[in-house]
Amino acid sequence: MLEDLLSGAWQSVVFGIVGVGLMAAGFVLVDLLTPGKLRDLIWVRRNANAGLLLAANQLGVAGIVFTAILTSYSDFAKGLASTVIFGLIGLGIMALAFFVLDLITPGKLGEVVCSDEPHPVARVSAASHFGAALIVCACIA
């Protein structure tokens, strides 16, 4: 009984580290998609547009990791591998959604999202990121 509890606790730690790592990769992805330093945009300039896009990205990645863990294989290594694989696929799909939205809308999406003036496109872009993540979640389940 104690062995099962310790094994489960260890797996939680490992999945948690992987999940946080994927969320950090999501931060890097949004930073690459938007001009300027994301840290400065959000924490220094208090840019609501960039903050909303990052929040949607982080929630999307967390949703993918959650779904991958919840539906995970009984074998820990397979479950961990599927979490990493689906997390990376999710990041790629979110980036694709950003590029497609950028192609079909006027102006440069990254520049508009990073403007200091609140802009509706930030909400559309955030919804696109989160929607892409939900699509990946559905594929996992």
Side-chain angles (χ1 to χ4, degrees):
M1 173 95 110
L2 181 61
E3 186 177 314
D4 290 340
L5 179 63
L6 292 175
S7 175
W10 169 248
Q11 290 177 9
S12 294
V13 168
V14 173
F15 274 117
I17 291 169
V18 167
V20 169
L22 287 166
M23 291 174 73
F27 179 95
V28 171
L29 175 69
V30 174
D31 196 22
L32 292 172
L33 293 173
T34 55
K37 294 265 185 220
L38 193 57
R39 262 179 240 211
D40 293 338
L41 284 170
I42 297 172
W43 281 271
V44 176
R45 290 176 40 192
R46 298 175 183 255
N47 183 295
N49 296 329
L52 181 61
L53 180 59
L54 179 61
N57 178 276
Q58 295 294 281
L59 287 170
V61 172
I64 292 168
V65 170
F66 171 85
T67 306
I69 292 170
L70 190 64
T71 62
S72 161
Y73 297 93
S74 58
D75 178 77
F76 174 65
K78 281 184 180 177
L80 190 60
S82 72
T83 300
V84 170
I85 289 167
F86 281 113
L88 294 174
I89 289 170
L91 289 171
I93 297 294
M94 283 187 268
L96 177 64
F98 185 90
F99 288 124
V100 168
L101 187 62
D102 190 29
L103 283 174
I104 63 175
T105 56
K108 289 297 292 169
L109 185 57
E111 292 173 6
V112 174
V113 168
C114 294
S115 70
D116 289 328
E117 175 113 4
H119 199 290
V121 77
R123 291 187 287 281
V124 173
S125 185
S128 177
H129 264 251
F130 193 70
L134 288 178
I135 291 166
V136 175
C137 289
C139 292
I140 297 169

